[in-house]
Amino acid sequence: MAAIYSGIHLKLKSPKTSWEDKLKLARFAWISPQCFLPNKEQVLFDWTSHALTGYYSKKVELPQQVLEGLWAYLDDILHSKHLQKAISQGKTPSLRTNIAQVVNDRILEFVLGSSPLSASTVLRCCHGILSSSVLSVTYSTRYELLVELVARLCGLACASPGQEPEAHLRPQVLELLHLALSSYLLVQRQQANPNRVFAQVTAHLLQPLLLLRHLLTAQVHLGREIRSRVDAVLQSALFLPDHLLSYREELLPKKEASASTRGPARKGVLTPVSSVLQRLFALDTFCRSGDNKDVCFHLLTRLITALDLTEDLAPKDSFDPANWSLALLSLENLLNLVLNGDVYNVAADRIQHGEAQFNFYRKVAHLLLYSAQSGLPAWYRCLKALLSLNHLVLEPDLDDLVSSAWVDHECVEVRARKAREALITAVLQTYTKLRQLPRLFQEVLLVMCRPAADELRPPLLTASLQRSLSQCLLESPPSQSLEVWRLLLENVQTYLLPDLEGKDDVALKLLSLSGLLHVVLFSVRTLDSSSPLPVLRQTQSLMGEMLVLITHLLRLLAGKDTAALWFQTVHQAALFLSYTWVEVDTVFEMHCIRYNSTLTEMGPSLLPGVGEEEWDQVLSLSQQCGHLSQFLQEQLTLQRMKKALLRTSISTDADIRDDLCRDAQFIVRTGEASFREVSEEVWDGQVSSVVDTTYPVAHWFLVTSNLGLLTPYLSEEHLSHIANILLDSLLHGATPDIPEKEAAHLSIANISKHLLGTPMLVELSSLYSVIVQCLSKRIVGILCRSEQGSQCQVLLSFGEEVQVIKGKEEGAAGSEGGGSHSEASSPWSKLEARAQAVLQFAKADSKVPLTGSQLESLAQILQVTSALCPDGMSPEDHSECFLLLFFMAVSVQPQGDVEPSAVIGLLTDVYRLMTSLQSGSNFGTILKVVHGSELLETCVSSVYSLSECLTRSVDSPARMAFIQAFQGFLQCLFRVIINRRKSVRLNLEKFTTFMVEGEVAVSMLSRLRGRGDLETESLVSLQLLLASLTELCQTMMANLGKSSKLDETLVQLSDRALCILGPVVRLCLSGQACERLGQSFSVDVVTVMVQVELSQISTCASDGDEQSKLGHLTHGELYRSFAQQVLKELCSAPRPIDFLCSSLRFLTAYYTAAMATAEPNLPDLYASVLQNLRMLLAAPWLSMSELQQLQTPVKELLAQLVSRSSQEQLILLMGTLKEGLNAALVRNGCSKDVLSAVTLTKLLASCPLSESCNKAFWFLAPQIISAIIFVVQECAKDLPLVGELAVPALEAVTVILRQGEGVLSNPHHVGLVFSALQLIPLELPSEEAYHSAFHAVHEALFAVIQCHPQVMLKATPSFLNCFYRLVASVMREGRQRPENDRGSEADAEVGMKCALLVERMYTHIASVAEGFTVLSSFIVAQYVSELQKVTLHPDIKSHLTEGIYKILDLCVEQDIKFLSSTLPLGVREVFSELYSSYTHYHKTQRQGEDKYTA
C-alpha cells in the first residue's frame, strides 16, 4: 500500500511527469478503491488548488487541454458521491482561500468575454463549493471574497446576449446567484460591524444588485426568489436601526437633528444618504413609524434633486434631455413610495411643518407642467401620483394640466395614451368626489375656447374617457350635471356664436363642444316621476336654450356657400345637437310624466319651430357635408321611425306605414356606396369619431343593431343588400389585428360575426331566408365557374327561387318522397323534382371538377353556413340547402393536380353540415321530397367513387376525419328514418340489401379470399364498407326496445349485416389489411359486431326465448382470438390513445358477452383483463392527460368486471389494490404502480357494485383510506410527485368519502384525511399544478363537510386549519402585482377559479351553521389576518368578500365586539373596513330579503 501511495504522490509532485499523466493519475487516485491514500481527499484538493493557482500566478505553464481537464477534475470531485460520503463520515476537507480568488477572477473574465474556458464547468465548481457546508467556509470566512463573488455573478447575470458566453448558461448563472445570495445573507447577518457591511454594500453591491433587480421579472427562472433576497440584503445593510440617527443628522434641519440625537456619543455611518446617492440609488423607505416620516420626506427631496435637478427642482444646465424618460421613471417610483409609505399627511404637514411637503410637491408639479413630456407614459403617472397625494398640489395649475395632458396633448404612443387616459380618469373621479365637476369643466371649456389650430387637436374624449365621464356624471348630484350642461351652452353662446360665420377654427370648436355636450346629456340621470321640481324646471329651461341654439345654427346656414369648411362643420354640429336634443327629449318624455315636451306634433324635422322646407333643405346638404352629417341624418330618421311606432297604430294607418318603409329604405340605401369594398377600419362607437374611414362601420352598426325595427319595412332588394354585406364581410373582411385598439372597438367583420351568432337574427324570418338564399347562390356561382358546372341543368335549377306560400306549407306531401301534391304545395313539387334530378346526376356518375381556389372559396362559405341555426330556416329553405349540399357531396372532385386533401377537407365539412341540418324543428324535412334509402345509396356510391382520391391521402389525418364525418351523417340519417316511423322497414331493407349484396361487398370478399391482401385503392373501399355497415348496425342496436315490431325488423337487418361483416373482418385479420386500416378502426368494427350479437341475445331473451337466454356468439372464436391479441398489445409498447380507448371498449363489450353466454374461460379472462388494466395504468409512457382520457372506458370495463364477480375474483381485485397502495413503492421509485392502484380504487368506488363486492369494498374502505393517506404523506416530500400522484390520490379519497356517505360510520376513519391535507404543498411551480392541488384539497374538504357532518362535531378545528391554508394560498396568488410581475390571462383565470371555490366553501359553512356558530369569529379573524398582508386583485377580492359576508351573518354582536377589541391594530383596521362594507352592502340586503321570506 505504501508503494502505491508513495508512487502516486511522488509522480504528482515530480516535474518529470507530464501534466497529462499527472491528471490521469489524479483521476485514478480519486476513483480507485485500491488506492488507499491517507487523507486522500485533502491531498488531491491541495494538488488541484496548487496546480490552478500556479498557472494563474504565472508560475506554471499548462496546455489548454490540461487546464480544462483540471477544472473538470475539480468539478467531478466536488460533486462526487465519494466526497459526500467522506463528509458524512466526519471528515472535513478544505480548499485553499486562493482557489476562491481564482474562481472569482474566472467569473470576471466571463463577464468581459475574454476567457477561453467553459463557463459551465467553472460555475459548477463554484456551486459545488457553496453548496457544501464544509467547503463553503472558503468563502464565508472571507467576507470581502463573498462580496466580490456576488458582485461578479450579478454582472454575469445582467450581461447582454452578445456578452453572455452561452445562452443556455443563464439558468445555471441564476441558480448559482440564488445560492450565493443565500450564503451572503447569512454571512452579512453574522457581521459584528454594521458600518463595515454598509461600506461594502454601497461600494461594491449596490449598483449591480439594483440593476439585477430591475432586469429580473417573476417569469424568469428563480426571478422572484432572487429579487426577495436582493431586497433583504439591501434592507439589512443600508437601513439598520443603528443607522437611523445618522440619517437624522444628515437629513433633518440642525435643530431637529440635534434634539433627536441627544445622549451618549455613538459610532455610526457619517453620511449614509450621500454614500447612497453617489451610487445613484432610489429606495423604499425603511421607516414606517410616524416619528420617522419627516426623515423619509427629506430623504425623498435629496433623492429627487439627485436626478440632476437644482434645489428649486429645475433641470440643471448639465441635464441631458434624452434622460427625461429615466428621470421620470425614477420620480414616479419615488412618488409611489411616498404614497405607499403614507409619508405625506396633509394636516400634520400644515400644522407642524408649515406645509414643507406641500410646497415641495408644488415644485414637482411646476417641474412637470412647465417641462411637459406628453410623449412619455411616466409623465402622466407622476402627475397622477401628485393628484393622489393632494389634489390641491395641481389645483393652481389646473388650466395647464388640462391643456398639456388633455385638450392639447400630442401623445400617439399606445402606452402613453393609456397613461394619459388613467390620469384624466383620476382627475374626473377626484373632482366628482369633491363635488367640483363644474369647476373642472370650466377650465376645460376655457382651454377649448382659446385661439388654437383646432384641426390639429386630437379628439377630446376617447371611448375609455367617455365611459369614465359617464360614470362620474351618474355619481354626481343632478345639480352638478345640470351646471356642466349650462356651462357648455353658455360658452357656445358667449365665445363661439358671435364669431362663427366664416371662421373655420371657431366652427371646429363648436363641433368639439357639440360632441362633449352629446356625451354629457347621454350620461346624466334621466328625469322620472321622483325628480325634484327645481331639477325638472332647470332641465326644461336648458332644453329650451339648447333648442334656441339649434334653431339659430340652422338659420345661419341658409343661403351660405356650401363648399366652405366652416359651413360643413357647422352643418355637422347643428345635426349633432339636433340628434342629441331629440334623443334626450324622447327619453325625458317617456320616463317623466311631468316633463312638458315642446314637441307636440311630429313633423319631418322633429324639432319645434323648424319648418318642413327649412329642414329638408338642411338634410339635402348632408351628402355634401361629410359622412358625419350622413350618419346623423340616419340617426334622426331612425328616431322619427321610433316616434311614429310609439304614437300610431301601423295596422290601420297605411300612410304612416308608407313613411316607415321610405325611412327604413333611406337608412339602408344611404350607406350603399360605402360598401363597394369591405373596410377593415375600426370605430370606437362614438358619434363624434365618425369620419370618412369609419363611416361604413358606424352605418353597419346602426343598421344591424336596429334590424328588428327596420326589417319589416324593407323590400327584398334591400334585404338582399344587407345579406350580401353580411356575407362579404364574413368571407372577405379580415378581422383587424390592432393590439393598441381596445376590445370594445368595432369593425364590420366583428359586427357581422356577432350578428350571425345572435338569436335575434333567427327571429327575422324574411331576412334569414334571404341570407340562406344568398349563400346558396354563392355556392352555385362557384360551382358554375367550371365548364361542367356551367352546363349542368341540375345546378342551374338551384338558381331558381322556390316560391313559398305562407301558411300552406303544412299542406305539403305527408308521405315520404313523393305522392300527389296540391297547388298549395307547388314549392315542394319543385323541390321533389330537383331532388330527383340530383339523384339522376349522381347515378350517371357525373362530376364537377374544381380548382384549389374554388375549393377554398367553398370552404369559406361552408364555414359561414355552419354558423346558421337550422331552426331559423323555413322548411323549404332547409330542404333546398340540404339538397345543394348533397349535390356537392356527390359531384365535387379535384381538378388536375389539386391536392386530394383539399377536396376531402371540403367534403368533410359538407357531411358535417348536412348532419347538423338534420336537427331541430326541421328534423326529417328532406324526406318529404326524397326517399331515405335513395339518399343513403347515392351517398355511399359517391363515396366509393372517391376511393382513388382517398388513396392519394391515405396516410393523412384528413382521411380519418372524412370517414368519421361520413359515419356521423349516416348515423344521423338512419336515426331520422327510424324516428320518423314512415317506411322504416322499406328504407332500411333496401339500404341493407344494397350494402350486403352490392358490387363492393361481393368484390371485397372475392379479393380477400383470393389473395388475402388488397391494393391501397381497394383498401379504402373496404374501409368505407366496414364504416357504413358498423354505423348501420350501431344505430339499429341503439333504437331497440321502442316496439316489438321495430325490434324484429332491426334484429333481422343487423343479422344480415353481420353475415357480411363477420367474413370480411375474419379475412382482414388473417392478412395485412387490418393493420393498414388502422388499429383503432379495426377494433371499433369488431366491437360493434360483439355489441350486435349481444343485443340480439338480449332481445331474444326479453321476448321469452328460453334457449336464447344463454345463447352463443356466432363469431365467438374470432372474438376470443381478437381479445387475446388486444390484451397482448395493450401494454407492450406505447400506443395511440384512440387505440387504447377502442381496445377498452372492445374488452367491455366482449366481457359482457362472455358473461351473457357463460364462456368457460371467464375466470382466466377476468384475471387477464385485471392484470392488463393495472399494467396499462402504470405504463411509464402514459401521460397524465392520456390517463384522464382513459378513465371513462376503464370505469365502464371495471363496472362489467365487478357486476357479477365471484368471491375468488373479488379477492384477486382487492389483493391487487392492496399490493399497489403501498407507500414503500413511492420511496422505491415505483410511483406509477401506486398511481395505477389509486386510479383503479377511485373508479371502483364510483362503480355500481354487486352486493358481495359492495360489502367487501366498504369493509376494507378504512384500510384503503389509511393506505392512500400514507401514500399522500410520502408524495408530499417530493414536489414533482404532488401533481403526478398526490392529487390523484386525494381525488380517490374524495370519491370514497362521497360514495361512503352513510356507510363509513366511524368518524375517525374520515378524520384521517385532514392529516394528509395539511401536508399537500400549495406553492407549486406551475399554475396548472397549483390549481389541481388546490381543487383536490377543496373537494376533499367539501366531501367531508357535505357527506359526513358527524365528523365535524370533533374535527372542526382540523377542518378549519386545512381550509385556512386554501384561503391564505388564494390570497397570496391573487394579490395585485406590478406590471412586470403579472402572469398571463390563464394565471388570472386560475386565481378566479380558486377564489370561487373558497366562496363556495364559505357559503356552505354558513348553510350548515350548527358546527361553526361558535367558531365564526375565529374564521373571520383568520381571514382578516391574512387579508392585512396583501392587496388583492379586485375580482378575486369580490368573491372572497362575498364568501366571508356569509360567515359574518353567523356572528352575533358579542363576536363583533370581541373581534374589535382583541385583534392587533393593523388587522383591526382591516376588520373595521370589512364590517363597514358588510353592514352597508350585504346586511341591509339580507334583512330586506328576510322580510319577504316565509
Side-chain angles (χ1 to χ4, degrees), residues 115-143:
S115 176
L117 287 173
S118 167
S120 179
T121 306
V122 177
L123 293 177
R124 278 178 53 82
C125 291
C126 186
H127 188 281
I129 296 170
L130 291 176
S131 59
S132 171
S133 57
V134 175
L135 299 177
S136 61
V137 177
T138 310
Y139 275 108
S140 59
T141 54
R142 292 288 302 275
Y143 176 56

Side-chain angles (χ1 to χ4, degrees), residues 569-590:
T569 308
V570 172
H571 185 277
Q572 293 173 354
L575 288 184
F576 210 158
L577 292 172
S578 300
Y579 163 61
T580 304
W581 189 92
V582 171
E583 284 273 14
V584 173
D585 181 74
T586 304
V587 172
F588 286 168
E589 184 182 5
M590 289 174 61

